[in-house]
């Protein structure tokens, strides 16, 4: 008899729109390889860009927040594992899962540390240096509490693992470093990619609803691209991404070669035809999907310290890393114009993908950890008294607020 895993999503996965969507599809693939019956449920409306999960054998369900209908749904499903997609989903449904299926393993996938992203954004707006004052924000209090209430939390970046262990003092037994899980780029695949001489123009890509992405496009437009264009008048800057609002499309300027191209149906094709990927991110968290896509496509990059965080480890990067407009533009021009450097960075990217994001290695690591926890779940929870305490106190307020809203909705 197949075992059930329930994934409660913040949104329906959109792998063509965001790195978070790609990450979710990678996790689903691992669970299906272990012959789990995967059910994906969310209270979010489905967009046109949502992946057809049922086409790959994933069951889907629409659920409601603040409704006892979820209690009936999950007790009937009786999953062995429940995975929450982001901490705010755990806040909403965690107590219901614990009440209805107390023996189910509760797993949190952070996607990235929202508290880190929030703190960096505030420091940027204050034109101040990011420090623990910005890190220990209200979102951090909620997010760390959610981590403690779960049996295991998946962390996508080594930098964020270090932060959780050293700054927040989270017990490593509650955490698992699990980056993107990618197929290796074989030598044959590398040789089939367009060469330096067959490529042209600059590219960047990202969901425009994500504030760090929009900010980086604005930064490119106002501070970096004019410097590049002055030295490379024939080059164009192609910006791809889902959900381009008017504030994004108004940045389009053909005369300047700054082109808002919109949704990319095939990210690989877009990346493979570009010569250089630019990712001047000034705040954010997690691993940057655009740089990972660029590495797989053999496209060298120029990025910032924030953009490069957690990606390269001790290996040589596929990118120049610069945090000022002039230095960023100069390195972009150098990379675009120098075939030897370009080829070196391309090879660096292949090595990073193959050594640091190996799908088979990290998939097996996740499976072993889940099996170990399921086998010894009671003992594992006994070692997490902070989690028991937070489940007892914090979620009682969430629970009764939800029940009040539920009763109010019935009355209305």
């Amino acid at each position: 008899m197949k075992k059930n895993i329930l994934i409660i999503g913040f949104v329906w996965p959109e792998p063509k729109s965001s790195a978070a969507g790609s990450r979710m599809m990678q996790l689903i693939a691992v669970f299906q390889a272990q012959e789990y019956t995967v059910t994906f449920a969310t209270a979010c409306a489905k967009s046109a860009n949502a992946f057809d999960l049922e086409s790959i054998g994933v069951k889907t369900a629409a659920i409601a927040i603040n409704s006892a209908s979820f209690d009936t749904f999950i007790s009937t499903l009786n999953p062995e594992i429940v995975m929450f997609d982001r901490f705010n989903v755990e806040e909403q449904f965690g107590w219901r899962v614990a009440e209805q299926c107390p023996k189910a393993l509760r797993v949190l996938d952070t996607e990235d540390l929202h508290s880190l992203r929030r703190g960096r954004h505030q420091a940027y707006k204050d034109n101040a240096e990011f420090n623990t004052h910005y890190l220990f924000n209200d979102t951090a209090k909620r997010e760390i509490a959610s981590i403690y209430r779960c049996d295991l939390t998946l962390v996508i970046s080594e930098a964020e693992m270090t932060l959780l262990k050293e700054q927040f003092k989270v017990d490593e037994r509650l955490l698992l470093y699990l980056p993107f899980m990618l197929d290796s780029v074989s030598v044959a695949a590398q040789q089939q990619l367009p060469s330096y001489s067959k490529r042209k123009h600059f590219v960047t890509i990202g969901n425009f609803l994500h504030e760090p992405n929009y900010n980086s496009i604005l930064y490119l437009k106002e501070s970096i691209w004019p410097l590049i264009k002055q030295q490379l008048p024939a080059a164009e800057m192609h910006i791809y991404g889902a959900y381009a609002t008017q504030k994004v499309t108004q940045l389009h300027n053909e005369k300047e070669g700054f082109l808002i191209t919109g949704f990319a149906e095939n990210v690989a094709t877009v990346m493979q035809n570009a010569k250089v990927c630019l990712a001047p991110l000034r705040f954010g968290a997690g691993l940057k999907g655009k740089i990972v896509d660029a590495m797989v496509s053999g496209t060298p990059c120029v990025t910032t310290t924030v953009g490069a965080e957690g990606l390269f480890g001790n290996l040589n990067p596929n990118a120049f890393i610069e945090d000022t407009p002039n230095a960023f533009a100069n390195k972009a021009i150098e990379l675009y114009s120098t075939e030897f450097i370009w080829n070196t960075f391309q090879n660096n990217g292949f090595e990073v993908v193959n050594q640091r994001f190996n799908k088979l290695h990290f998939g097996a690591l996740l499976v072993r950890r889940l099996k170990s926890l399921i086998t010894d779940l009671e003992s594992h929870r006994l070692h997490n008294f902070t989690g028991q305490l937070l489940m007892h106190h914090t979620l009682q307020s969430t629970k009764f607020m939800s029940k009040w809203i539920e009763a109010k909705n019935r009355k209305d």
Side-chain angles (χ1 to χ4, degrees), residues 277-294:
C277 173
L278 302 182
L281 294 145
R282 292 188 281 189
F283 54 91
L287 299 181
K288 309 309 177 291
K290 59 178 71 63
I291 300 178
V292 173
D293 289 334

Side-chain angles (χ1 to χ4, degrees), residues 192-210:
Q192 289 174 1
L193 292 169
S195 64
Y196 171 86
S197 61
K198 297 282 177 57
R199 299 179 182 228
K200 58 182 180 179
H201 304 315
F202 293 87
V203 69
T204 193
I205 191 165
N207 186 329
F208 294 119
L209 295 179
H210 192 53

Side-chain angles (χ1 to χ4, degrees), residues 245-266:
T245 59
Q246 186 179 356
K247 72 176 184 177
V248 176
T249 56
Q250 69 185 7
L251 300 176
H252 180 90
N253 190 314
E254 291 190 14
K255 185 178 178 181
E256 296 174 359
F258 197 86
L259 310 176
I260 306 296
T261 316
F263 182 73
E265 189 63 37
N266 190 317

